[in-house]
Amino acid sequence: MSVIGRLTWSALVFLFVAEWGRCQGQTRNCKTNNQGNESESERKLLSKLEPLASLSFSAVIQDKDNSYTYYFSVCGNVANISNAGLVQIDKTGTKTVIGQYTDTQIFGGSDWVMLVYKNGSKYDNHCNHENRKSMVMISCNRNTIGGGFTVVDEERTKPTDCFYLFELDSSTVCPVITSKLSAGSILLIVFFSCLTLYIVGGFLYQRLVVGAKGMEQFPNYSFWQDLGNLTADGCDFVCRSRARNAPPTYRGVASEPLGGEETEERDDHLLPM
């Protein structure tokens, strides 16, 4: 390999390792409401979302005369805004932060995780001017690492506790499928695997090393042939219906004339006249 090739390869490896290391710790950027007293369950749920840290998602909706584009990232910046995990951009290009990953709440179940970003920009005319809050419902979908990001609803009719609701599909929140094989199934798998290895390996050895042809290529052919004969003999011994040493049957003497009389009649033509 040339010097240029080595340098190029080293640079690619370095970039891969650097990017992999960055993504491995990105979910630690999310700060929960406990401010340093993060529970083990919260950290475990955030760790499940680690594969999504390097991805960004977007969704577009139409609202009367305006259109909005939403950008979302797991514990990372979007739209070049620091600490912004969810951003809304209208058709004029105005950016509104609707959730920060530095103020995060997370909870979930066996096949879903709810990620809540708080402390977004204040409402102008709704919800008593409170800070915006976004909730992303991440549901199990084993067919994608991350996709189907959609806007479900924006609740801003209440005086307080308004929110944006989003959905996202991901295999990262799916439960681990445990093996349901019984001990008998495992033994059968091992047995047939060993049998296949024995037949194939023995066949190759007999053909390539020993130089056998035809049925002689089967490993230990004479042994299995004798075993088959012995098995047949044993089956015949156990299952035969007649006795092993049957006495000979009695046959009576025939009532036909003795052979001497017939001979005498045949000699009559030899006597002198």
Side-chain angles (χ1 to χ4, degrees):
M1 184 182 293
S2 64
V3 176
I4 297 178
R6 292 179 180 178
L7 292 175
T8 303
W9 176 253
S10 300
L12 291 175
V13 172
F14 175 77
L15 290 174
F16 172 78
V17 173
E19 181 66 17
W20 180 81
R22 182 186 68 82
C23 293
Q24 284 295 306
Q26 185 164 318
T27 54
R28 295 190 176 277
N29 295 333
C30 284
K31 306 299 181 183
T32 61
N33 296 334
N34 295 331
Q35 297 295 331
N37 296 323
E38 184 179 72
S39 67
E40 182 178 353
S41 62
E42 290 174 329
R43 175 45 50 190
K44 185 177 180 180
L45 289 174
L46 284 173
S47 298
K48 292 176 65 174
L49 304 182
E50 195 71 61
L52 299 175
S54 60
L55 305 177
S56 59
F57 307 93
S58 63
V60 180
I61 63 169
Q62 297 287 336
D63 183 13
K64 296 181 180 180
D65 297 331
N66 204 349
S67 65
Y68 298 94
T69 303
Y70 296 87
Y71 294 93
F72 166 64
S73 178
V74 176
C75 304
N77 297 329
V78 291
N80 296 321
I81 302 177
S82 179
N83 299 331
L86 249 165
V87 173
Q88 178 195 72
I89 303 178
D90 61 17
K91 65 180 182 180
T92 64
T94 302
K95 300 179 181 179
T96 303
V97 177
I98 60 175
Q100 298 189 26
Y101 59 81
T102 53
D103 191 356
T104 302
Q105 183 181 3
I106 187 170
F107 52 92
S110 60
D111 60 352
W112 60 274
V113 170
M114 178 68 79
L115 186 64
V116 183
Y117 286 163
K118 300 181 179 181
N119 200 27
S121 302
K122 294 181 178 296
Y123 282 99
D124 295 329
N125 302 310
H126 305 282
C127 307
N128 288 331
H129 307 288
E130 68 177 6
N131 294 93
R132 288 175 169 84
K133 176 178 65 175
S134 299
M135 298 187 294
V136 182
M137 181 68 174
I138 306 175
S139 304
C140 170
N141 186 343
R142 299 187 184 276
N143 298 322
T144 178
I145 187 66
F149 181 66
T150 56
V151 183
V152 179
D153 188 23
E154 178 189 359
E155 176 55 68
R156 59 180 184 179
T157 60
K158 301 188 298 183
T160 58
D161 201 21
C162 299
F163 60 88
Y164 295 81
L165 180 62
F166 302 85
E167 284 184 341
L168 177 67
D169 295 333
S170 176
S171 60
T172 60
V173 298
C174 295
V176 178
I177 300 177
T178 57
S179 176
K180 297 182 179 180
L181 293 177
S182 63
S185 300
I186 296 175
L187 290 176
L188 287 176
I189 292 174
V190 173
F191 170 75
F192 284 108
S193 298
C194 294
L195 180 63
T196 303
L197 181 63
Y198 166 75
I199 294 176
V200 175
F203 175 84
L204 294 176
Y205 176 82
Q206 290 291 107
R207 182 175 181 85
L208 301 179
V209 178
V210 179
K213 301 295 183 181
M215 292 298 296
E216 296 294 333
Q217 297 176 98
F218 193 86
N220 305 110
Y221 174 72
S222 59
F223 168 78
W224 293 113
Q225 191 176 40
D226 294 340
L227 180 63
N229 293 333
L230 292 174
T231 303
D233 293 342
C235 181
D236 181 63
F237 175 79
V238 174
C239 301
R240 64 177 51 172
S241 59
R242 64 183 181 86
R244 295 178 58 191
N245 298 320
T249 57
Y250 173 77
R251 294 182 179 180
V253 178
S255 60
E256 297 178 357
L258 296 177
E261 298 178 0
E262 184 180 0
T263 303
E264 184 177 355
E265 293 177 357
R266 293 176 181 176
D267 294 340
D268 290 344
H269 68 282
L270 299 177
L271 296 177
M273 297 302 294

